[in-house]
Amino acid sequence: MIRIAIAGYGNLGRGCELALQKNPDMKLTAVFSRRDPSSVKTIDPQIPVYRLEDAASHRDEVDVLIICGGSATDLPTMTPMLARDFNVIDSFDTHAAIPTHFENVDTAAKESGHLAMISVGWDPGMFSIARLYGLSILPDGKDYTFWGRGVSQGHSDAIRRIPGVVDARQYTVPVEDALARVRAGEMPTLTTREKHTRECYVVAEDGADKALIEQTIKTMPNYFADYDTAVYFITMEELREKHMGIPHGGVVIRSGKTGKDDENTHVVEYKLALDSNPEFTASVLVAFARACARMQKRGVVGCKTVFDVAPIDLAPISAEEARAHLL
Amino acid sequence: MIRIAIAGYGNLGRGCELALQKNPDMKLTAVFSRRDPSSVKTIDPQIPVYRLEDAASHRDEVDVLIICGGSATDLPTMTPMLARDFNVIDSFDTHAAIPTHFENVDTAAKESGHLAMISVGWDPGMFSIARLYGLSILPDGKDYTFWGRGVSQGHSDAIRRIPGVVDARQYTVPVEDALARVRAGEMPTLTTREKHTRECYVVAEDGADKALIEQTIKTMPNYFADYDTAVYFITMEELREKHMGIPHGGVVIRSGKTGKDDENTHVVEYKLALDSNPEFTASVLVAFARACARMQKRGVVGCKTVFDVAPIDLAPISAEEARAHLL
């Protein structure tokens, strides 16, 4: 039985508890939180909740600690710190900062003799694996990543910070025409604007200047200025009724050429359609936590990513069963 | 530079030579053939061609030998035999016989201290990986494999053996309605007939009894009797004009539930659309040959499958580059 702990009990931590219930070879032994433990309501009320600062004193009860913090400010410090006492796994998703995070975690994990896995989820994570397989099999080709249709938390938050906005949801939507061209093996060059559009559902304060809010959204640098953005003002009731889910997904497509005269085109597509972004991410984290426990037992230490994990180490079945039934 | 040899120079062997030209860190050093070497025309005429029975005398010139034989009669004997002298890789695709083949190859490879990889291609191969990732991430779910639209060599051969048939092509076609239900996360139970149809393009001899040929095809056990099969009689000119390619592909879909009350459904799809079945299979073989060479250098011996290979071992780029650009 692999003993798992969770650090941080928000949507993602809760998703991990749910995912663990689907995997009878693993059990949740502890939750660590920065909140007052008595205020943390786990799904199974029997799960002990401890203060995060006391985590190290429970290290002998845990094989792998899943760190469910935010990438902006939590994980850059939490993951290296906790890797001193635990085998850890996180879903760090600031792509540009991955090399630095990797180095920091690798140093901490090697010093303490632990195994750490970073950037586990779907992007980074399963989409990264799809990109790497694609490049490796079809080196003469191009890859494309499209996200959505799904809720972007970061873009929703950016809208909420605009004066006069009460609440908002932003959906990232892939452009169907661009997708169709990529799927047809055309290997087009696509601008940011040609790949995705952004749909914003905004609840404004009574009397707010909606034209100004819309203008502020559409011209916001980095977030919206480079996209065709649609803004819809709705009531709080409509937001609650239609936009409370956290769906997401997307596709990674690798298109490449083979043949004496490059006459043959191949298109490889990996597609996700997810009802719940955090619950799917948590499901990926839990599968890689299994691999983390197995690899650590074999003496692997330091920082690893999804690229370093052989598929069989994720499996809830034996290698013999996998060869007989899935190969 | 990884030195590769190819045993068996048909469509698949030729595809391997072409794939190696796309991978500058590998080079083709020899082709072994059962035919008279002077009759084997490689794409690069500089490649030395030797008799298969002389292969062992060239073992010091080869890091990994890719065995491009048929699964019915060639590979069950060739792969264990050649694993005595080489690190080998094959595309053995008789699913039911994989455990036996694995044992035979494992014994031979361990005795001689070599690394062998079997059943590398797209199914078994990349589709198997998709099934294993799917099961591991969404254990409470179902997976579905659909093949096509593509040419099935085995079914085409079965038609050609019918008296009165000059030539034939059989296309395996997934049923769109079944695919749509699976993609929608319905997790239906589907019969063989509900998943695929079969399209046969047949050139008959002058004066042949076409009704009898059609009847013979449609009632052929294992191959056609369990499917809705369409038979079209065409001229040899039309066959040559429209049916000389070897396209194939298909999808693996994993659908699973998460949530406190299983209220969330996730659908993961891995899809291939291939202009040339043998050239894509060869591209997969070459990528795994790279992994074979790397793993063998680390001391891995015995028989392995695609399940045992970490994605990074396939990559034509470094782990640092992969983390920086693909993760």
Side-chain angles (χ1 to χ4, degrees), chain A residues 168-180:
Chain A
R169 290 294 179 282
Q170 193 273 178
Y171 294 87
T172 305
V173 185
V175 175
E176 280 302 324
D177 177 62
L179 255 179

Side-chain angles (χ1 to χ4, degrees), chain A residues 148-181:
Chain A
R149 187 174 195 264
V151 173
S152 167
Q153 213 57 57
H155 290 79
S156 300
D157 289 344
I159 299 171
R160 284 189 206 103
R161 285 191 293 265
I162 297 171
V165 171
V166 180
D167 203 349
R169 290 294 179 282
Q170 193 273 178
Y171 294 87
T172 305
V173 185
V175 175
E176 280 302 324
D177 177 62
L179 255 179
R181 291 177 62 198

Side-chain angles (χ1 to χ4, degrees), chain A:
Chain A
M1 189 68 85
I2 300 169
R3 300 167 305 163
I4 304 289
I6 295 167
Y9 197 83
N11 279 336
L12 187 59
R14 189 174 181 279
C16 287
E17 182 178 3
L18 289 166
L20 286 164
Q21 292 177 354
K22 301 281 192 193
N23 288 281
D25 62 326
M26 301 197 249
K27 67 171 178 183
L28 180 59
T29 56
V31 166
F32 304 120
S33 174
R34 278 179 297 214
R35 288 181 275 158
D36 174 1
S38 68
S39 75
V40 174
K41 299 295 171 220
T42 53
I43 293 160
D44 175 355
Q46 305 296 314
I47 303 296
V49 182
Y50 306 110
R51 289 180 189 282
L52 183 60
E53 59 263 39
D54 298 334
S57 65
H58 298 278
R59 61 194 212 176
D60 294 338
E61 302 152 32
V62 177
D63 296 313
V64 179
L65 174 62
I66 304 177
I67 309 176
C68 299
S71 296
T73 56
D74 299 337
L75 297 176
T77 54
M78 278 176 85
T79 307
M81 188 191 76
L82 290 163
R84 289 189 210 136
D85 294 299
F86 296 92
N87 302 303
V88 296
I89 178 165
D90 77 19
S91 60
F92 184 77
D93 67 359
T94 311
H95 290 263
I98 285 174
T100 301
H101 188 55
F102 180 91
E103 290 304 327
N104 293 340
V105 175
D106 193 48
T107 301
K110 279 182 177 156
E111 279 174 10
S112 63
H114 288 102
L115 175 57
M117 288 185 186
I118 61 160
S119 302
V120 175
W122 61 272
D123 196 359
M126 300 313 296
F127 272 18
S128 319
I129 290 172
R131 288 187 284 261
L132 186 58
Y133 277 127
L135 168 71
S136 302
I137 293 167
L138 295 171
D140 182 9
K142 282 184 81 165
D143 66 55
Y144 298 83
T145 302
F146 291 86
W147 296 276
R149 187 174 195 264
V151 173
S152 167
Q153 213 57 57
H155 290 79
S156 300
D157 289 344
I159 299 171
R160 284 189 206 103
R161 285 191 293 265
I162 297 171
V165 171
V166 180
D167 203 349
R169 290 294 179 282
Q170 193 273 178
Y171 294 87
T172 305
V173 185
V175 175
E176 280 302 324
D177 177 62
L179 255 179
R181 291 177 62 198
V182 171
R183 283 184 173 133
E186 283 186 35
M187 296 195 221
T189 300
L190 298 168
T191 63
T192 296
R193 191 177 299 273
E194 287 169 327
K195 287 182 69 186
H196 297 92
T197 57
R198 299 197 175 278
E199 281 177 20
C200 311
Y201 295 85
V202 182
V203 181
E205 285 171 11
D206 280 351
D209 183 344
K210 290 182 181 175
L212 180 62
I213 291 173
E214 179 168 343
Q215 176 70 6
T216 306
I217 293 172
K218 289 185 171 179
T219 57
M220 199 185 294
N222 303 319
Y223 285 88
F224 294 101
D226 298 333
Y227 298 85
D228 289 339
T229 301
V231 178
Y232 305 101
F233 289 94
I234 60 174
T235 63
M236 185 60 91
E237 290 64 42
E238 187 174 346
L239 186 90
R240 288 204 181 116
E241 196 182 311
K242 297 183 184 166
H243 301 285
M244 290 311 283
I246 321 175
H248 219 315
V251 291
V252 171
I253 299 175
R254 177 81 187 184
S255 179
K257 301 278 187 187
T258 68
K260 193 155 183 289
D261 303 303
D262 291 341
E263 67 273 26
N264 291 315
T265 301
H266 310 279
V267 181
V268 181
E269 175 168 344
Y270 182 78
K271 181 178 179 188
L272 297 174
L274 312 174
D275 272 0
S276 165
N277 185 352
E279 287 181 12
F280 185 81
T281 301
S283 299
V284 177
L285 279 165
V286 165
F288 279 85
R290 178 187 286 119
C292 184
R294 291 176 177 169
M295 291 167 71
Q296 178 271 142
K297 272 203 176 173
R298 296 201 298 265
V300 179
V301 297
C303 190
K304 301 289 170 186
T305 75
V306 295
F307 294 155
D308 303 301
V309 179
I312 195 63
D313 275 327
L314 304 167
I317 58 175
S318 71
E320 291 71 25
E321 288 174 293
R323 285 193 298 268
H325 304 299
L326 296 180
L327 193 60

Side-chain angles (χ1 to χ4, degrees), chain B residues 6-319:
Chain B
I6 295 168
Y9 197 83
N11 278 338
L12 188 59
R14 188 172 181 279
C16 287
E17 181 178 3
L18 289 166
L20 286 164
Q21 292 176 354
K22 301 279 194 194
N23 288 281
D25 62 326
M26 300 198 249
K27 67 172 178 184
L28 180 60
T29 55
V31 166
F32 304 121
S33 175
R34 278 180 297 213
R35 288 181 275 158
D36 174 358
S38 68
S39 76
V40 175
K41 299 292 170 223
T42 53
I43 293 160
D44 175 355
Q46 305 296 314
I47 303 295
V49 182
Y50 306 110
R51 288 179 189 282
L52 183 60
E53 61 261 39
D54 299 333
S57 66
H58 297 279
R59 62 196 211 175
D60 293 339
E61 301 151 32
V62 177
D63 296 313
V64 179
L65 174 62
I66 305 178
I67 309 177
C68 299
S71 294
T73 56
D74 299 338
L75 297 176
T77 54
M78 278 176 85
T79 307
M81 188 190 76
L82 289 164
R84 290 189 209 138
D85 295 299
F86 296 92
N87 302 302
V88 296
I89 178 165
D90 78 19
S91 60
F92 185 77
D93 67 0
T94 311
H95 290 264
I98 285 173
T100 302
H101 189 54
F102 180 90
E103 290 305 327
N104 293 340
V105 174
D106 195 48
T107 302
K110 279 182 177 155
E111 280 175 9
S112 63
H114 287 102
L115 176 56
M117 289 186 186
I118 62 161
S119 302
V120 176
W122 60 274
D123 196 358
M126 299 313 297
F127 271 18
S128 319
I129 291 172
R131 288 187 285 261
L132 186 58
Y133 277 126
L135 168 71
S136 303
I137 293 167
L138 296 171
D140 182 8
K142 282 184 80 165
D143 66 55
Y144 298 83
T145 302
F146 290 87
W147 297 274
R149 186 175 195 264
V151 173
S152 165
Q153 212 58 56
H155 289 78
S156 301
D157 289 343
I159 299 171
R160 284 189 206 104
R161 286 191 293 264
I162 297 171
V165 171
V166 179
D167 203 349
R169 289 295 179 285
Q170 194 272 179
Y171 294 86
T172 305
V173 185
V175 174
E176 279 302 326
D177 177 62
L179 254 178
R181 291 177 61 199
V182 171
R183 282 184 174 133
E186 283 185 35
M187 296 195 223
T189 300
L190 298 168
T191 63
T192 297
R193 191 177 299 274
E194 287 170 328
K195 287 182 70 187
H196 297 93
T197 57
R198 299 198 175 278
E199 281 177 21
C200 312
Y201 295 86
V202 181
V203 181
E205 285 171 11
D206 280 351
D209 183 342
K210 290 181 180 175
L212 179 63
I213 290 172
E214 180 167 343
Q215 177 70 4
T216 306
I217 293 171
K218 289 184 171 179
T219 57
M220 199 183 296
N222 302 319
Y223 285 88
F224 295 100
D226 297 334
Y227 299 85
D228 289 337
T229 300
V231 177
Y232 305 101
F233 289 94
I234 60 173
T235 62
M236 185 60 92
E237 289 63 42
E238 188 174 346
L239 187 89
R240 288 205 180 114
E241 196 182 310
K242 296 182 183 166
H243 301 284
M244 290 310 283
I246 320 175
H248 218 314
V251 292
V252 171
I253 300 175
R254 178 82 186 182
S255 178
K257 301 278 187 190
T258 67
K260 193 155 182 287
D261 304 302
D262 293 339
E263 68 274 24
N264 291 315
T265 300
H266 309 280
V267 181
V268 181
E269 175 170 344
Y270 183 77
K271 181 178 181 189
L272 297 175
L274 313 175
D275 273 357
S276 165
N277 185 352
E279 287 180 12
F280 186 80
T281 301
S283 299
V284 178
L285 279 165
V286 164
F288 279 85
R290 176 187 286 121
C292 185
R294 290 176 178 169
M295 291 167 71
Q296 178 271 144
K297 271 203 176 174
R298 296 200 300 264
V300 180
V301 297
C303 189
K304 300 290 171 186
T305 76
V306 294
F307 295 155
D308 304 299
V309 179
I312 195 62
D313 276 327
L314 303 168
I317 58 175
S318 71

